Amino acid sequence: MKEQVSDDARVFYEDLTAYEYLAEDAFTDRESGFHALWYRPAYTRLNVGWLEAGRPYRTGPVPPAFTEKLSAVQRIQWMNQCLGFHVCDLCAPAAAPEGNGEVRIPGPPGIAYAAPFLITHYITEHGYQPPRVFLDSVLSVDLAAWGAARWPEVPFPWVPGDAERMEE
């Protein structure tokens, strides 16, 4: 049986505010199933797409290439996978998808965007329009370079060079 996030858990954060939910980041490579690269980020993480029923959010179109690229990133990368899960509270309960984890998108030097794994659902099903800087950052991701990256000897698509690995 899955554990659901409690109703009082905060899941809403304003776009482009400082991410403070977890002090460390944990990468999972979805293709290999390898888990367990933890590190304390040396870059600033900014929230994008943390929506919650009853809170306003920007809506509008996004380029089709953006949604395709973001989905491709999510097929490779999974961040901060948790034991519980969050159900989209913008959907009717019977049809609500669940999410677990986050995705990171590199931005300008020293910045990474932190989004919930449900962000693609929010865009395609609820018309959410992320900030332009996030759209541009997703569109500039070089998936071929991510596939070739190794840090260290692990097929993670993107871990910033200034990341500090946490010792277990």
Side-chain angles (χ1 to χ4, degrees), residues 69 105-107 133-143 146:
K69 181 76 72 91
I105 300 295
V133 293
F134 182 76
L135 295 171
D136 292 343
S137 294
V138 168
L139 288 168
S140 70
V141 167
D142 181 351
L143 289 171
W146 278 22

Side-chain angles (χ1 to χ4, degrees), residues 37-119:
L37 179 60
W38 294 273
Y39 64 92
R40 185 175 311 280
Y43 51 86
T44 300
R45 299 170 293 175
L46 299 178
N47 294 309
V48 173
W50 296 89
L51 307 185
E52 184 174 82
R55 301 282 193 138
Y57 57 91
R58 184 182 175 129
T59 61
V62 298
F66 165 80
T67 306
E68 292 168 15
K69 181 76 72 91
L70 182 58
S71 294
V73 169
Q74 289 180 294
R75 284 191 295 274
I76 300 169
Q77 180 201 118
W78 204 347
M79 292 286 305
N80 298 336
Q81 184 180 4
C82 300
L83 294 176
F85 62 94
H86 172 71
V87 175
C88 174
D89 65 0
L90 303 175
C91 287
E98 58 189 47
N100 179 339
E102 305 170 6
V103 64
R104 292 289 180 276
I105 300 295
I111 301 291
Y113 299 106
F117 215 74
L118 282 174
I119 190 168

Side-chain angles (χ1 to χ4, degrees), residues 119-135:
I119 190 168
T120 303
H121 166 77
Y122 295 148
I123 293 164
T124 59
E125 299 301 317
H126 301 292
Y128 168 62
Q129 185 183 60
R132 185 79 219 172
V133 293
F134 182 76
L135 295 171

